[in-house]
Amino acid sequence: MSTHDSALKFERHPIHTDVVIVGAGPCGLFQVFELGLLGLKAQLVDSLKAPGGQCVELYPDKPIYDIPAVPVCTGQELTDRLLEQIRPFGAGLNLGQEVTEVARQDNGRFRVVTSAGTVFDAGAVVVAGGVGSFQPRKLDVPGAAELEGKYIHYRVKDPRAYADQDVVILGGGDSALDWALTLVDHARSVVLVHRRPEFRGAPASLAKLYALRDEHRADVLIGQAKEVNAVDGVLKSLSVQGADSVVRRVDLDQLLVFFGLHPKLGPIANWGLEINKRQLSVDTEKFQTNVAGIYAVGDINHYAGKKKLILSGFHEAALAAFAIKEYLEPGKKVHLQYTTTSPLMHKRLGVESAEEQAAARKAASG
Ligand code: FAD
């Protein structure tokens, strides 16, 4: 199928939803809950492979003490609890893809497109993009950019692609260690290069790698990548400066770089939204941006008195949900109902009592 054909296919089959939420950090996840209580369906999209935003990407094991009624939980635990809380609402979770385009269609709805080619047709959009989408930190040495994609990579799509190749991996975190351990079974040779003897990755993984080195199945070099050396556009070697200041050349076919991720506002800056110091300006009644139908919650938004705290984002998500309900169903009164007592909320949450189920059956039978 040609690219043109596949584009047509996507055009014919966009995913229809009430709301697309850009970002599956804590605030994007809680947005699903608040929309769900009001009977609105959502699709979440995140450029990361796992939900949780900063909580999972930056501090999964660190304790958080200021979530109301949760004296302490880690970043990962908070994410797991939010995922459990939103489960009744069946939101789509589209991970590992960045939202690249948001545009209003002739009928007033939004066309939202991701880097993976997924297209949504949404009534409203909530940008819960935090500090932006996380992008891999690039190797900053001359010539590296030209070799990217063919010889220098920032993610591994298929380890089998490295069969019979001499691979060098840069980095000291879990990604670098895990891929070194995996590629030992695929590549002709694997050398891990890290700038210092202390590694950020799991000690057990490091121990495994050193054991493989002792078996002469992999190598570990401590030093700083200084230069990539290519001949006629083909990567030949990497120059690594050791602690002794000596520069050594390591021959290789492929270079994998895992220097971690850093946030970038990215495509959000191109959607016609008013930006104030890398944040989106919103009102504090609806948390709507300057574009009707596009809202922003969490760290990404800016208003007088904004505090970048998870609980602030939760409050914003609640108010944005009410505003979106009114926006999508104009003229219809949106009543505030308590989850404690509202049978409608219980139904949406899937926690109807026996009495409520009997009453619903009676009502359905006429
Ligand atoms: P984020 O968590 O940043 O998530 C945004 C998500 O959007 C990301 O996953 C990103 O990949 C995605 N994204 C962005 N752009 C796109 C796009 N175009 N397409 C697809 N996906 C996109 N807060 C507290 O309240 N209490 C604490 O104790 C606390 N401790 C912290 C400790 C550390 C070390 C750090 C760094 C922060 C801490 N914070 C704490 C702050 C808290 O983590 C943030 O306020 C919170 O994560 C904001 O949530 P969010 O959902 O708005 O954004």
Side-chain angles (χ1 to χ4, degrees):
M1 186 189 282
S2 71
T3 318
H4 182 64
D5 289 342
S6 63
L8 284 177
K9 182 169 174 280
F10 283 130
E11 285 303 323
R12 274 191 235 116
H13 300 288
I15 299 170
H16 201 273
T17 187
D18 293 320
V19 183
V20 165
I21 301 169
V22 182
C27 302
L29 293 175
F30 195 64
Q31 186 68 71
V32 171
F33 183 78
E34 289 296 325
L35 291 167
L37 286 182
L38 298 178
L40 297 175
K41 292 272 173 223
Q43 290 280 337
L44 282 157
V45 186
D46 204 299
S47 49
L48 295 175
K49 291 224 165 64
Q54 294 173 54
C55 300
V56 166
E57 197 56 38
L58 302 179
Y59 57 102
D61 303 323
K62 288 208 165 59
I64 309 173
Y65 297 101
D66 57 349
I67 303 298
V70 181
V72 60
C73 69
T74 65
Q76 184 63 57
E77 282 164 356
L78 177 72
T79 304
D80 292 344
R81 286 177 192 206
L82 284 166
L83 286 168
E84 188 187 334
Q85 194 170 23
I86 68 173
R87 193 174 302 132
F89 303 117
L93 197 49
N94 308 272
L95 298 171
Q97 42 192 308
E98 185 176 47
V99 173
T100 50
E101 281 174 54
V102 173
R104 197 187 290 282
Q105 305 173 118
D106 290 344
N107 63 4
R109 291 174 61 83
F110 293 94
R111 181 175 182 271
V112 179
V113 184
T114 79
S115 54
T118 313
V119 179
F120 301 94
D121 179 338
V125 175
V126 177
V127 185
V131 281
S133 62
F134 289 96
Q135 309 284 337
R137 268 181 225 283
K138 299 282 172 85
L139 173 64
D140 188 16
V141 300
E146 291 81 69
L147 298 170
E148 189 177 326
K150 209 163 177 197
Y151 301 104
I152 300 182
H153 312 271
Y154 295 94
R155 51 174 62 97
V156 175
K157 284 193 197 124
D158 183 357
R160 290 170 302 182
Y162 297 90
D164 299 326
Q165 308 266 305
D166 291 320
V167 178
V168 172
I169 298 176
L170 297 180
D174 284 318
S175 298
L177 289 172
D178 290 349
W179 280 119
L181 294 174
T182 304
L183 289 173
V184 161
D185 293 330
H186 297 271
R188 181 165 48 220
S189 71
V190 173
V191 179
L192 182 81
V193 178
H194 184 41
R195 63 195 155 83
R196 55 197 179 103
E198 295 78 30
F199 285 71
R200 272 178 295 113
S205 307
L206 185 61
K208 269 190 214 160
L209 188 64
Y210 278 134
L212 287 168
R213 185 188 62 173
D214 293 346
E215 294 167 22
H216 308 291
R217 293 183 58 206
D219 209 351
V220 180
L221 267 183
I222 304 303
Q224 188 103 25
K226 284 287 172 196
E227 207 180 346
V228 285
N229 312 300
V231 177
D232 298 332
V234 178
L235 179 62
K236 293 288 177 194
S237 66
L238 175 76
S239 300
V240 178
Q241 185 173 35
D244 53 4
S245 297
V246 175
V247 176
R248 296 171 178 86
R249 280 190 173 215
V250 184
D251 289 347
L252 77 169
D253 298 312
Q254 300 287 335
L255 180 61
L256 299 174
V257 182
F258 298 108
F259 285 166
L261 301 165
H262 70 120
K264 222 173 137 196
L265 195 53
I268 295 172
N270 307 326
W271 302 340
L273 306 174
E274 193 182 307
I275 294 174
N276 185 327
K277 292 190 191 133
R278 290 169 44 88
Q279 286 169 280
L280 302 179
S281 301
V282 289
D283 64 67
T284 49
E285 182 195 342
K286 300 175 175 175
F287 295 95
Q288 188 167 244
T289 64
N290 59 311
V291 175
I294 304 186
Y295 301 77
V297 299
D299 280 13
I300 190 87
N301 71 14
H302 173 81
Y303 53 87
K306 168 71 184 173
K307 296 282 177 280
K308 287 188 181 180
L309 286 171
I310 296 165
L311 90 155
S312 311
F314 287 173
H315 159 78
E316 294 155 12
L319 266 55
F322 277 93
I324 292 167
K325 180 80 173 172
E326 281 180 11
Y327 173 80
L328 294 177
E329 298 170 15
K332 211 166 153 186
K333 190 129 185 61
V334 187
H335 297 285
L336 175 78
Q337 300 188 52
Y338 292 133
T339 56
T340 325
T341 49
S342 160
L344 179 61
M345 298 269 152
H346 291 172
K347 191 161 180 262
R348 288 175 178 157
L349 284 163
V351 293
E352 285 170 285
S353 66
E355 293 82 18
E356 285 167 355
Q357 285 174 14
R361 272 199 301 277
K362 201 170 158 201
S365 65

